[in-house]
Amino acid sequence: REALDRGIATVYQDLAVVPLMPVWRNFFLGNEVRKGLRMDIPFMRTTAKQELLDMGIDLRDVDQPIGTLSGGERQCVAISRAVHFGAKVLILDEPTAALGVKQSGVVLRYIINARERGLGVIFITHNPHHAFPVGDRFVILNRGRLMGDWRKGEISRDELITQMSGGA
């Protein structure tokens, strides 16, 4: 909560969603909007749909259970949710680890969208093919020790692969 209050949101690879609840309920889970004693369901549905559209996510129906979405779509809902609730910095922990090629591409596109909206993005990954297209700077750690720190123009993708696989 303290990190969120300071604008830092983390999206984990194993998303904390309730699969049988609708997308909009998961979007507002723990942050429900009330009108008097009742939840303002029309407002939350509309807001969730609009926030997802603003991130480039066009879901057919925000009333569908979030469990029916692909892994990539669920990751994108989590990113959009973090942005809506005031994140200035997103920490993404292996968001593409359990996804196929197509869904990974969708998530990478949303990461770029978040960055273009002015958010700081920390993308933790073991996959240089995912890191290189979206990264501006690359930091490699090995058991907590700094192994290297490069700006995009200072390292090629092949060099990054070599460094991520242990160097020489």
Side-chain angles (χ1 to χ4, degrees):
R1 281 280 181 206
E2 190 175 320
L4 286 172
D5 291 343
R6 294 173 187 230
I8 302 168
T10 303
V11 177
Y12 302 96
Q13 78 183 57
D14 57 340
L15 297 172
V17 296
V18 182
L20 296 177
M21 279 188 176
V23 171
W24 68 267
R25 286 290 309 264
N26 275 279
F27 190 92
F28 280 94
L29 197 59
N31 295 293
E32 291 81 2
V33 176
R34 298 201 169 273
K35 193 182 236 183
L37 296 175
R38 298 182 153 197
M39 288 195 301
D40 190 349
I41 293 171
F43 173 81
M44 289 189 286
R45 279 188 179 127
T46 304
T47 301
K49 177 79 172 166
Q50 188 57 53
E51 287 294 322
L52 293 168
L53 276 173
D54 289 349
M55 283 293 288
I57 307 162
D58 189 10
L59 291 181
R60 300 164 296 286
D61 183 11
V62 293
D63 282 313
Q64 72 189 74
I66 200 165
T68 64
L69 302 181
S70 70
E73 288 171 322
R74 280 181 270 171
Q75 284 284 3
C76 296
V77 169
I79 292 168
S80 181
R81 178 182 194 275
V83 171
H84 173 73
F85 286 106
K88 295 177 189 91
V89 176
L90 281 175
I91 301 172
L92 304 169
D93 182 14
E94 297 281 0
T96 59
L99 305 178
V101 174
K102 183 178 179 186
Q103 289 303 313
S104 292
V106 169
V107 172
L108 294 173
R109 195 167 50 248
Y110 296 131
I111 291 170
I112 292 168
N113 285 353
R115 189 182 68 201
E116 288 174 352
R117 288 180 72 173
L119 274 76
V121 178
I122 299 170
F123 179 26
I124 301 165
T125 185
H126 65 278
N127 189 329
H129 300 288
H130 292 175
F132 200 76
V134 300
D136 296 326
R137 183 175 174 179
F138 307 97
V139 175
I140 297 178
L141 301 173
N142 183 354
R143 296 184 181 141
R145 278 189 345 144
L146 179 66
M147 303 308 289
D149 181 356
W150 304 269
R151 296 201 182 282
K152 191 165 200 161
E154 299 171 344
I155 191 168
S156 70
R157 188 181 64 163
D158 290 339
E159 291 171 309
L160 182 65
I161 292 168
T162 299
Q163 292 300 321
M164 286 180 77
S165 59

